[in-house]
Amino acid sequence: MIHYKLQIGCLIIVLYISYIYLKNKFQSKDKLRWKLFDTIVLFSVIYLIFDVLTVYTVNHLDSVSVFTNTIFHLVFLLSIDTIIFSFFLYMIKITGIITNQKKTVIIFIWLPYIINALILISNIGNLEYRHGINSNYSMGVSVYTCFAMIAIYELLSIVIFLRRWKYIDKYKRSTIGTFLLILILISSYQMFVPDSLVSSIVVVVIILGIFINSESPSHVELEQYKKELVFAYANIIESRDGSTGGHVKRTSKYVELIVNDLKSEGYFSNILTSDYIDNVVKAAPLHDIGKISIPDSILQKPGKLTDEEFDIMKKHTIYGAQLVRSSLSKLGDSQYIDIVYDIVLHHHEKWNGKGYPEGLKEDEIPLCARIMAVADVFDAVVEKRCYREAMTLEQGFSIIKDGIGTSFDPIVARSFLSNKDKVIEIFNQLNEDNATTL
């Protein structure tokens, strides 16, 4: 029993985390959607069960059949390979380092895993069993290739993390960095001291790291609460703006559409991590937060603003940015706050430098603000306001097209225009929803 106390303890921990995760998953709307973490959880349980079984068999070779021992080792080694490979895919996902334009790279991503699996299976019958200080253990070609694959994917995970760390949320950056370091240390110890049988800790570290990082019920609930709070706050502001309703939701959807299209097409790949995209979409509803400081006499004026009134209106960007720094900064989510700040302050900047408040031009304007500018202008002109009638959708698309290279980032504007059908679908759907709730 002393040989596999650690494995049993790790199995209990993983089973408990799996129970919490699955309980929360089946209470949510996406309970039927298979996620990468689901794969990691499944193979972690399988791995730890067979870790216990293989520890037993290598220490009882005289009473366990060769066939049983071989099958147990095959499942055991394939499971740890799958867990490490899935973890690497998780790193790719959260950093957004692979785009649709890089599909050829996917072949090279899978190669070590596939080659290792073939070598492992073909040599599993030639395992060697050795006596160690702590326990008997198995070695051989299958084990060596497994070690090699683990080392390759762990090193690649570190490279990806270091290349994209500044675009990963600060909280996630610290947790991922910590469990990557622990992962490397434990894996290295297992490779150099094979009879230590501590590989089960690697699995627990991966499960705990991802769970705490993004899959725990408290994290999911907090993210949903923040999202609902942002929309509620934005809707209060919108209600003062002479809007017929829905501007916040529509612009957020347009932003989401644009940012995902840019990522899929391979644009701004050094910036568009999963965290960055999530934060831009969550920040979009707050783009006009500064209007809370603008007098109703200006916000709701039925006619054209005077030059003096327009100068006051333009200050909503500055007021909003100040409000973000003084209030939202207490949330502690630094990347999200920075993105909200950039969107609020700069979403009226223009590509040619003739916007406000700072007259930034081209790449001086933060990417998130350039995306927000297209979504905001389009929805503003096709929505009825207290001071004018709404333009048609085609007129709105024409304004975006005419503004390419002057008002708008050409890449961002063309991304929006290339998805006209989806934009129209969003507009119609959210207008119907808005009409139903009124």
Side-chain angles (χ1 to χ4, degrees):
M1 185 69 178
I2 189 172
H3 300 303
Y4 34 82
K5 280 184 176 179
L6 176 63
Q7 286 76 8
I8 293 174
C10 290
L11 177 60
I12 292 172
I13 293 172
V14 170
L15 285 174
Y16 178 69
I17 295 173
S18 301
Y19 167 74
I20 297 173
Y21 168 71
L22 292 174
K23 180 181 178 182
N24 183 68
K25 179 180 175 68
F26 281 99
Q27 290 175 346
S28 65
K29 295 179 181 179
D30 64 345
K31 59 184 176 183
L32 298 178
R33 186 167 66 91
W34 189 266
K35 300 168 65 175
L36 185 57
F37 188 59
D38 296 335
T39 300
I40 296 175
V41 168
L42 173 63
F43 280 93
S44 293
V45 173
I46 294 172
Y47 170 80
L48 289 169
I49 290 173
F50 279 86
D51 195 4
V52 174
L53 293 175
T54 53
V55 171
Y56 177 84
T57 60
V58 295
N59 287 286
H60 298 81
L61 292 173
D62 54 338
S63 59
V64 177
S65 70
V66 173
F67 176 78
T68 299
N69 187 41
T70 301
I71 293 299
F72 283 0
H73 275 83
L74 176 63
V75 177
F76 167 73
L77 292 173
L78 285 176
S79 295
I80 187 62
D81 285 349
T82 303
I83 293 166
I84 296 297
F85 179 62
S86 298
F87 170 72
F88 177 66
L89 294 180
Y90 172 80
M91 290 297 297
I92 290 175
K93 177 178 179 293
I94 64 172
T95 57
I97 200 167
I98 302 298
T99 67
N100 285 356
Q101 283 191 338
K102 298 180 180 178
K103 285 184 177 178
T104 53
V105 179
I106 296 176
I107 297 174
F108 296 100
I109 290 173
W110 279 81
L111 267 181
Y113 177 72
I114 294 171
I115 292 172
N116 173 74
L118 293 174
I119 295 175
L120 194 158
I121 293 170
S122 60
N123 289 276
I124 195 66
N126 300 317
L127 289 174
E128 303 171 10
Y129 302 103
R130 303 176 183 178
H131 297 288
I133 298 175
N134 301 307
S135 169
N136 293 345
Y137 61 96
S138 55
M139 296 298 290
V141 174
S142 294
V143 178
Y144 294 137
T145 56
C146 181
F147 283 167
M149 195 216 76
I150 290 172
I152 288 171
Y153 282 124
E154 287 184 348
L155 288 174
L156 287 174
S157 296
I158 292 174
V159 170
I160 290 173
F161 176 71
L162 293 178
R163 281 190 60 188
R164 306 299 292 274
W165 72 275
K166 68 179 180 179
Y167 298 111
I168 300 172
D169 180 82
K170 185 177 180 180
Y171 167 75
K172 288 186 178 181
R173 190 189 309 161
S174 59
T175 55
I176 292 172
T178 301
F179 77 72
L180 261 178
L181 177 61
I182 296 173
L183 194 63
I184 295 296
L185 292 175
I186 297 174
S187 299
S188 299
Y189 184 75
Q190 175 64 59
M191 291 177 189
F192 289 106
V193 188
D195 69 322
S196 61
L197 303 181
V198 295
S199 58
S200 56
I201 300 177
V202 172
V203 175
V204 173
V205 169
I206 290 175
I207 291 289
L208 275 174
I210 298 177
F211 183 74
I212 294 171
N213 191 49
S214 58
E215 301 293 346
S216 67
S218 58
H219 176 83
V220 174
E221 289 174 7
L222 180 60
E223 288 302 307
Q224 183 60 32
Y225 173 75
K226 284 166 61 177
K227 182 178 179 181
E228 292 174 357
L229 185 62
V230 164
F231 267 102
Y233 197 12
N235 283 327
I236 292 172
I237 298 165
E238 184 183 46
S239 67
R240 300 182 58 242
D241 190 23
S243 170
T244 56
H247 176 70
V248 168
K249 291 182 180 179
R250 288 192 301 271
T251 51
S252 296
K253 286 293 184 182
Y254 298 152
V255 166
E256 184 175 9
L257 178 65
I258 294 170
V259 77
N260 284 314
D261 182 70
L262 291 172
K263 179 182 177 181
S264 68
E265 294 298 322
Y267 294 113
F268 311 110
S269 58
N270 63 322
I271 298 176
L272 295 177
T273 64
S274 295
D275 283 336
Y276 187 91
I277 291 172
D278 289 343
N279 284 327
V280 170
V281 174
K282 287 189 296 186
L286 294 174
H287 66 278
D288 278 336
I289 189 175
K291 287 184 177 180
I292 199 169
S293 300
I294 303 300
D296 287 345
S297 59
I298 294 176
L299 273 180
Q300 300 174 10
K301 183 177 179 178
K304 184 179 179 180
L305 297 179
T306 65
D307 291 343
E308 292 78 9
E309 289 170 334
F310 187 57
D311 286 340
I312 294 173
M313 175 64 83
K314 288 194 293 185
K315 289 182 180 179
H316 80 275
T317 56
I318 298 172
Y319 295 151
Q322 292 171 346
L323 188 58
V324 169
R325 286 296 188 219
S326 63
S327 300
L328 299 183
S329 59
K330 296 177 182 178
L331 292 175
D333 193 339
S334 59
Q335 189 193 63
Y336 174 66
I337 301 306
D338 289 343
I339 290 174
V340 175
Y341 180 87
D342 286 340
I343 285 178
V344 170
L345 183 61
H346 297 301
H347 69 283
H348 284 292
E349 304 284 2
K350 294 186 177 181
W351 187 250
N352 60 9
K354 295 182 179 180
Y356 62 88
E358 296 180 354
L360 302 182
K361 64 180 180 179
E362 299 183 3
D363 292 340
E364 293 175 351
I365 309 168
L367 176 60
C368 54
R370 280 140 50 197
I371 294 169
M372 189 72 240
V374 172
D376 186 41
V377 169
F378 175 81
D379 197 73
V381 299
V382 300
E383 183 184 39
K384 182 180 178 180
R385 294 295 177 92
C386 61
Y387 50 86
R388 60 159 174 79
E389 292 297 317
M391 294 183 182
T392 66
L393 293 180
E394 284 304 319
Q395 287 175 315
F397 288 123
S398 294
I399 287 175
I400 301 301
K401 183 178 180 180
D402 293 342
I404 292 175
T406 54
S407 294
F408 310 116
D409 180 332
I411 294 175
V412 174
R414 291 190 182 107
S415 171
F416 180 78
L417 293 173
S418 68
N419 287 278
K420 285 178 64 173
D421 291 344
K422 293 180 180 178
V423 172
I424 294 171
E425 182 181 344
I426 291 170
F427 181 85
N428 291 334
Q429 178 62 51
L430 292 182
N431 270 6
E432 288 178 10
D433 293 345
N434 186 55
T436 302
T437 56
L438 290 178

